[in-house]
Short mmCIF file of all heavy atoms in Angstrom, two decimals:
data_model
loop_
_atom_site.label_atom_id
_atom_site.label_comp_id
_atom_site.label_asym_id
_atom_site.label_seq_id
_atom_site.Cartn_x
_atom_site.Cartn_y
_atom_site.Cartn_z
N SER A 656 -4.79 34.20 39.12
CA SER A 656 -3.45 33.77 38.57
C SER A 656 -2.47 33.97 39.67
O SER A 656 -2.36 35.09 40.26
CB SER A 656 -3.11 34.53 37.30
OG SER A 656 -1.85 34.11 36.87
N ALA A 657 -1.59 33.01 39.96
CA ALA A 657 -0.60 33.10 41.05
C ALA A 657 0.61 32.28 40.69
O ALA A 657 0.50 31.31 39.91
CB ALA A 657 -1.25 32.73 42.36
N ASN A 658 1.74 32.59 41.33
CA ASN A 658 2.93 31.73 41.37
C ASN A 658 3.04 31.19 42.76
O ASN A 658 3.07 31.91 43.75
CB ASN A 658 4.19 32.54 41.01
CG ASN A 658 4.21 32.94 39.56
OD1 ASN A 658 3.54 32.30 38.72
ND2 ASN A 658 5.01 33.97 39.21
N VAL A 659 3.14 29.86 42.80
CA VAL A 659 3.20 29.17 44.15
C VAL A 659 4.27 28.13 44.08
O VAL A 659 4.41 27.38 43.08
CB VAL A 659 1.81 28.48 44.42
CG1 VAL A 659 1.90 27.93 45.92
CG2 VAL A 659 0.63 29.45 44.28
N PRO A 660 5.12 27.97 45.15
CA PRO A 660 6.15 26.90 45.13
C PRO A 660 5.47 25.50 45.03
O PRO A 660 4.40 25.26 45.63
CB PRO A 660 6.80 27.05 46.53
CG PRO A 660 6.47 28.47 46.95
CD PRO A 660 5.16 28.74 46.39
N LEU A 661 6.06 24.65 44.23
CA LEU A 661 5.58 23.25 44.04
C LEU A 661 5.50 22.53 45.35
O LEU A 661 4.52 21.81 45.59
CB LEU A 661 6.51 22.51 43.06
CG LEU A 661 6.14 21.04 42.82
CD1 LEU A 661 4.71 20.90 42.28
CD2 LEU A 661 7.15 20.40 41.95
N ALA A 662 6.40 22.82 46.23
CA ALA A 662 6.43 22.11 47.53
C ALA A 662 5.17 22.32 48.36
O ALA A 662 4.78 21.51 49.18
CB ALA A 662 7.64 22.58 48.40
N GLU A 663 4.46 23.42 48.06
CA GLU A 663 3.24 23.75 48.81
C GLU A 663 1.98 23.32 48.12
O GLU A 663 0.90 23.49 48.60
CB GLU A 663 3.16 25.30 49.05
CG GLU A 663 4.38 25.91 49.68
CD GLU A 663 4.51 25.55 51.17
OE1 GLU A 663 3.58 25.02 51.68
OE2 GLU A 663 5.58 25.73 51.73
N MET A 664 2.16 22.70 46.93
CA MET A 664 1.00 22.43 46.12
C MET A 664 0.48 20.94 46.18
O MET A 664 -0.52 20.56 45.55
CB MET A 664 1.22 22.74 44.67
CG MET A 664 1.30 24.30 44.37
SD MET A 664 -0.21 25.12 44.89
CE MET A 664 -1.39 24.44 43.70
N PHE A 665 1.17 20.06 46.91
CA PHE A 665 0.76 18.69 46.97
C PHE A 665 -0.66 18.60 47.66
O PHE A 665 -0.81 19.24 48.76
CB PHE A 665 1.73 17.83 47.74
CG PHE A 665 3.10 17.74 46.90
CD1 PHE A 665 4.31 18.01 47.58
CD2 PHE A 665 3.09 17.37 45.62
CE1 PHE A 665 5.47 17.93 46.93
CE2 PHE A 665 4.25 17.30 44.91
CZ PHE A 665 5.48 17.58 45.60
N GLY A 666 -1.51 17.90 47.08
CA GLY A 666 -2.88 17.78 47.65
C GLY A 666 -3.75 18.93 47.44
O GLY A 666 -4.86 19.02 47.98
N TYR A 667 -3.36 19.94 46.62
CA TYR A 667 -4.17 21.14 46.47
C TYR A 667 -5.49 20.83 45.80
O TYR A 667 -6.52 21.50 46.10
CB TYR A 667 -3.29 22.14 45.64
CG TYR A 667 -4.11 23.46 45.42
CD1 TYR A 667 -4.31 24.33 46.52
CD2 TYR A 667 -4.64 23.83 44.18
CE1 TYR A 667 -4.99 25.50 46.34
CE2 TYR A 667 -5.34 24.98 44.04
CZ TYR A 667 -5.48 25.87 45.15
OH TYR A 667 -6.17 26.97 45.01
N ALA A 668 -5.54 19.89 44.83
CA ALA A 668 -6.78 19.60 44.16
C ALA A 668 -7.86 19.30 45.17
O ALA A 668 -9.04 19.81 45.03
CB ALA A 668 -6.58 18.50 43.13
N THR A 669 -7.57 18.44 46.13
CA THR A 669 -8.54 18.05 47.10
C THR A 669 -8.96 19.21 47.97
O THR A 669 -10.15 19.45 48.27
CB THR A 669 -7.97 16.91 48.04
OG1 THR A 669 -7.53 15.85 47.13
CG2 THR A 669 -9.07 16.37 48.93
N ASP A 670 -7.96 20.00 48.47
CA ASP A 670 -8.24 21.16 49.30
C ASP A 670 -9.14 22.17 48.57
O ASP A 670 -10.07 22.71 49.16
CB ASP A 670 -6.97 21.78 49.79
CG ASP A 670 -6.23 20.98 50.74
OD1 ASP A 670 -6.75 19.96 51.24
OD2 ASP A 670 -5.01 21.25 51.05
N MET A 671 -8.79 22.43 47.34
CA MET A 671 -9.53 23.46 46.55
C MET A 671 -10.96 23.00 46.33
O MET A 671 -11.89 23.80 46.45
CB MET A 671 -8.78 23.70 45.21
CG MET A 671 -9.29 24.94 44.44
SD MET A 671 -10.50 24.45 43.24
CE MET A 671 -9.54 23.39 42.16
N ARG A 672 -11.11 21.75 45.98
CA ARG A 672 -12.48 21.23 45.77
C ARG A 672 -13.36 21.38 47.07
O ARG A 672 -14.54 21.77 47.01
CB ARG A 672 -12.43 19.84 45.26
CG ARG A 672 -11.98 19.71 43.83
CD ARG A 672 -12.19 18.32 43.24
NE ARG A 672 -11.43 18.21 42.03
CZ ARG A 672 -10.37 17.49 41.87
NH1 ARG A 672 -9.91 16.74 42.90
NH2 ARG A 672 -9.73 17.37 40.74
N SER A 673 -12.73 21.02 48.17
CA SER A 673 -13.48 21.14 49.47
C SER A 673 -13.86 22.58 49.79
O SER A 673 -14.92 22.83 50.34
CB SER A 673 -12.77 20.41 50.59
OG SER A 673 -11.60 21.16 50.90
N LYS A 674 -12.97 23.48 49.53
CA LYS A 674 -13.15 24.94 49.82
C LYS A 674 -14.19 25.59 48.92
O LYS A 674 -14.77 26.61 49.18
CB LYS A 674 -11.86 25.68 49.73
CG LYS A 674 -10.92 25.52 50.92
CD LYS A 674 -9.76 26.38 50.78
CE LYS A 674 -8.89 26.39 52.14
NZ LYS A 674 -8.42 25.11 52.57
N THR A 675 -14.43 24.93 47.71
CA THR A 675 -15.27 25.57 46.70
C THR A 675 -16.56 24.65 46.45
O THR A 675 -17.28 24.81 45.46
CB THR A 675 -14.59 25.80 45.36
OG1 THR A 675 -14.14 24.57 44.82
CG2 THR A 675 -13.47 26.69 45.52
N GLN A 676 -16.78 23.69 47.37
CA GLN A 676 -17.85 22.71 47.17
C GLN A 676 -17.85 22.01 45.86
O GLN A 676 -18.88 21.76 45.22
CB GLN A 676 -19.18 23.47 47.40
CG GLN A 676 -19.36 24.12 48.79
CD GLN A 676 -20.64 24.92 48.89
OE1 GLN A 676 -21.49 24.99 48.05
NE2 GLN A 676 -20.78 25.63 50.00
N GLY A 677 -16.64 21.75 45.40
CA GLY A 677 -16.39 21.03 44.13
C GLY A 677 -16.64 21.85 42.93
O GLY A 677 -16.69 21.29 41.79
N ARG A 678 -16.91 23.13 43.01
CA ARG A 678 -17.19 24.00 41.87
C ARG A 678 -15.95 24.71 41.29
O ARG A 678 -16.05 25.38 40.21
CB ARG A 678 -18.20 25.00 42.27
CG ARG A 678 -19.57 24.39 42.57
CD ARG A 678 -20.52 25.28 43.33
NE ARG A 678 -20.87 26.46 42.57
CZ ARG A 678 -21.40 27.56 43.07
NH1 ARG A 678 -21.71 27.59 44.46
NH2 ARG A 678 -21.73 28.54 42.40
N GLY A 679 -14.80 24.58 41.91
CA GLY A 679 -13.62 25.33 41.42
C GLY A 679 -12.79 24.33 40.51
O GLY A 679 -12.75 23.14 40.65
N VAL A 680 -12.07 24.96 39.55
CA VAL A 680 -11.11 24.18 38.75
C VAL A 680 -9.81 24.91 38.71
O VAL A 680 -9.76 26.14 38.92
CB VAL A 680 -11.62 24.02 37.29
CG1 VAL A 680 -12.85 23.15 37.23
CG2 VAL A 680 -11.92 25.33 36.62
N PHE A 681 -8.72 24.16 38.50
CA PHE A 681 -7.41 24.83 38.50
C PHE A 681 -6.48 24.10 37.54
O PHE A 681 -6.68 22.94 37.20
CB PHE A 681 -6.78 24.95 39.89
CG PHE A 681 -5.95 23.79 40.29
CD1 PHE A 681 -4.54 23.75 40.23
CD2 PHE A 681 -6.60 22.58 40.69
CE1 PHE A 681 -3.85 22.66 40.64
CE2 PHE A 681 -5.81 21.46 41.08
CZ PHE A 681 -4.43 21.50 41.09
N SER A 682 -5.49 24.85 37.03
CA SER A 682 -4.39 24.22 36.27
C SER A 682 -3.13 24.77 36.80
O SER A 682 -3.00 25.79 37.40
CB SER A 682 -4.56 24.58 34.77
OG SER A 682 -4.35 25.94 34.55
N MET A 683 -2.04 23.95 36.52
CA MET A 683 -0.72 24.29 37.11
C MET A 683 0.36 23.86 36.10
O MET A 683 0.28 22.77 35.51
CB MET A 683 -0.55 23.49 38.43
CG MET A 683 0.78 23.64 39.10
SD MET A 683 0.78 22.92 40.78
CE MET A 683 0.99 21.15 40.39
N GLU A 684 1.31 24.78 35.90
CA GLU A 684 2.41 24.43 35.06
C GLU A 684 3.70 25.09 35.59
O GLU A 684 3.67 26.09 36.30
CB GLU A 684 2.23 24.82 33.62
CG GLU A 684 2.13 26.45 33.42
CD GLU A 684 2.06 26.75 31.92
OE1 GLU A 684 2.81 26.24 31.13
OE2 GLU A 684 1.10 27.51 31.66
N PHE A 685 4.89 24.43 35.32
CA PHE A 685 6.18 24.97 35.81
C PHE A 685 6.42 26.34 35.21
O PHE A 685 6.11 26.57 33.97
CB PHE A 685 7.24 24.04 35.39
CG PHE A 685 8.62 24.58 35.61
CD1 PHE A 685 9.12 24.75 36.99
CD2 PHE A 685 9.46 24.97 34.62
CE1 PHE A 685 10.33 25.34 37.22
CE2 PHE A 685 10.66 25.57 34.82
CZ PHE A 685 11.11 25.64 36.11
N ASN A 686 6.90 27.25 36.05
CA ASN A 686 7.15 28.66 35.58
C ASN A 686 8.61 28.93 35.60
O ASN A 686 9.24 29.26 34.58
CB ASN A 686 6.30 29.61 36.42
CG ASN A 686 6.29 30.99 35.73
OD1 ASN A 686 7.15 31.81 35.95
ND2 ASN A 686 5.20 31.23 34.92
N HIS A 687 9.26 28.91 36.79
CA HIS A 687 10.69 29.27 36.95
C HIS A 687 11.18 28.77 38.29
O HIS A 687 10.44 28.32 39.12
CB HIS A 687 10.89 30.75 36.79
CG HIS A 687 10.25 31.57 37.86
ND1 HIS A 687 8.83 31.78 37.90
CD2 HIS A 687 10.67 32.20 38.96
CE1 HIS A 687 8.51 32.52 38.90
NE2 HIS A 687 9.59 32.77 39.55
N TYR A 688 12.42 28.85 38.50
CA TYR A 688 13.09 28.52 39.74
C TYR A 688 13.38 29.76 40.58
O TYR A 688 13.76 30.80 39.98
CB TYR A 688 14.39 27.78 39.53
CG TYR A 688 14.22 26.22 39.47
CD1 TYR A 688 14.10 25.63 38.21
CD2 TYR A 688 14.26 25.45 40.53
CE1 TYR A 688 13.91 24.27 38.09
CE2 TYR A 688 14.07 24.08 40.47
CZ TYR A 688 13.90 23.48 39.25
OH TYR A 688 13.74 22.12 39.18
N VAL A 689 13.17 29.75 41.89
CA VAL A 689 13.47 30.88 42.75
C VAL A 689 14.22 30.33 43.97
O VAL A 689 14.18 29.16 44.29
CB VAL A 689 12.21 31.59 43.21
CG1 VAL A 689 11.47 32.24 42.04
CG2 VAL A 689 11.27 30.75 44.07
N GLU A 690 14.87 31.26 44.70
CA GLU A 690 15.58 30.86 45.93
C GLU A 690 14.64 30.43 47.05
O GLU A 690 13.56 31.05 47.21
CB GLU A 690 16.43 32.02 46.40
CG GLU A 690 17.27 31.72 47.62
CD GLU A 690 18.16 32.93 48.08
OE1 GLU A 690 18.26 33.85 47.30
OE2 GLU A 690 18.65 32.84 49.19
N VAL A 691 14.96 29.36 47.65
CA VAL A 691 14.19 28.88 48.85
C VAL A 691 14.45 29.80 50.01
O VAL A 691 15.60 30.12 50.33
CB VAL A 691 14.58 27.37 49.13
CG1 VAL A 691 13.75 26.95 50.34
CG2 VAL A 691 14.40 26.50 47.94
N PRO A 692 13.40 30.18 50.74
CA PRO A 692 13.66 30.98 51.96
C PRO A 692 14.62 30.27 52.90
O PRO A 692 14.57 29.10 53.08
CB PRO A 692 12.27 31.11 52.58
CG PRO A 692 11.30 30.96 51.40
CD PRO A 692 12.01 29.99 50.50
N HIS A 693 15.42 31.13 53.53
CA HIS A 693 16.59 30.62 54.31
C HIS A 693 16.15 29.56 55.32
O HIS A 693 16.74 28.44 55.45
CB HIS A 693 17.19 31.78 55.00
CG HIS A 693 18.49 31.44 55.75
ND1 HIS A 693 19.58 30.92 55.01
CD2 HIS A 693 18.79 31.45 57.09
CE1 HIS A 693 20.52 30.66 55.95
NE2 HIS A 693 20.08 31.00 57.19
N LYS A 694 15.16 29.80 56.06
CA LYS A 694 14.67 28.93 57.19
C LYS A 694 14.21 27.59 56.59
O LYS A 694 14.61 26.51 57.13
CB LYS A 694 13.46 29.56 57.90
CG LYS A 694 13.09 28.82 59.16
CD LYS A 694 11.97 29.63 59.89
CE LYS A 694 11.52 28.84 61.14
NZ LYS A 694 10.42 29.54 61.87
N ILE A 695 13.47 27.59 55.46
CA ILE A 695 13.01 26.33 54.89
C ILE A 695 14.23 25.60 54.28
O ILE A 695 14.30 24.40 54.35
CB ILE A 695 11.90 26.70 53.81
CG1 ILE A 695 10.72 27.31 54.49
CG2 ILE A 695 11.58 25.42 53.04
CD1 ILE A 695 9.69 27.83 53.46
N ALA A 696 15.16 26.33 53.68
CA ALA A 696 16.26 25.70 53.10
C ALA A 696 17.17 24.94 54.08
O ALA A 696 17.60 23.85 53.90
CB ALA A 696 17.18 26.77 52.39
N LYS A 697 17.32 25.58 55.33
CA LYS A 697 18.07 24.90 56.31
C LYS A 697 17.50 23.60 56.79
O LYS A 697 18.12 22.64 57.02
CB LYS A 697 18.27 25.88 57.59
CG LYS A 697 19.23 27.02 57.35
CD LYS A 697 19.42 27.90 58.56
CE LYS A 697 20.27 27.17 59.58
NZ LYS A 697 20.70 28.06 60.65
N ALA A 698 16.07 23.65 56.86
CA ALA A 698 15.33 22.46 57.23
C ALA A 698 15.60 21.32 56.21
O ALA A 698 15.75 20.19 56.53
CB ALA A 698 13.90 22.75 57.41
N ILE A 699 15.55 21.69 54.87
CA ILE A 699 15.66 20.69 53.80
C ILE A 699 17.11 20.14 53.86
O ILE A 699 17.32 18.89 53.72
CB ILE A 699 15.44 21.40 52.40
CG1 ILE A 699 13.98 21.83 52.30
CG2 ILE A 699 15.79 20.42 51.30
CD1 ILE A 699 13.69 22.74 51.10
N ILE A 700 18.07 21.00 54.10
CA ILE A 700 19.51 20.46 54.10
C ILE A 700 19.68 19.63 55.30
O ILE A 700 20.28 18.55 55.21
CB ILE A 700 20.52 21.74 54.21
CG1 ILE A 700 20.42 22.47 52.84
CG2 ILE A 700 21.88 21.25 54.49
CD1 ILE A 700 21.03 23.88 52.91
N MET A 701 19.10 19.94 56.44
CA MET A 701 19.23 19.09 57.67
C MET A 701 18.58 17.76 57.43
O MET A 701 19.12 16.71 57.80
CB MET A 701 18.57 19.84 58.85
CG MET A 701 18.57 19.13 60.13
SD MET A 701 20.29 18.98 60.82
CE MET A 701 20.05 17.89 62.21
N GLN A 702 17.41 17.77 56.83
CA GLN A 702 16.67 16.49 56.54
C GLN A 702 17.44 15.62 55.61
O GLN A 702 17.51 14.37 55.80
CB GLN A 702 15.35 16.84 55.97
CG GLN A 702 14.42 15.63 55.72
CD GLN A 702 13.13 15.98 55.03
OE1 GLN A 702 12.63 17.17 55.21
NE2 GLN A 702 12.56 15.10 54.32
N ASN A 703 18.07 16.22 54.56
CA ASN A 703 18.80 15.47 53.54
C ASN A 703 20.12 14.93 53.89
O ASN A 703 20.63 13.88 53.50
CB ASN A 703 18.85 16.20 52.20
CG ASN A 703 17.53 16.36 51.53
OD1 ASN A 703 16.49 16.06 52.10
ND2 ASN A 703 17.50 16.76 50.27
N THR A 704 20.85 15.78 54.68
CA THR A 704 22.32 15.47 54.94
C THR A 704 22.63 15.30 56.42
O THR A 704 23.74 14.81 56.76
CB THR A 704 23.17 16.65 54.40
OG1 THR A 704 22.92 17.80 55.10
CG2 THR A 704 22.84 16.83 52.91
#
Side-chain angles (χ1 to χ4, degrees):
S656 178
N658 287 338
V659 187
L661 175 62
E663 306 290 344
M664 288 302 294
F665 296 126
Y667 182 70
T669 307
D670 290 350
M671 190 265 298
R672 286 190 195 110
S673 66
K674 282 183 168 62
T675 61
Q676 298 173 7
R678 293 163 64 194
V680 293
F681 86 103
S682 67
M683 176 171 79
E684 65 177 311
F685 170 72
N686 193 275
H687 62 286
Y688 271 92
V689 298
E690 182 179 346
V691 179
H693 186 64
K694 187 176 178 182
I695 296 171
K697 286 185 75 171
I699 294 167
I700 293 166
M701 181 68 186
Q702 181 183 336
N703 287 15
T704 66

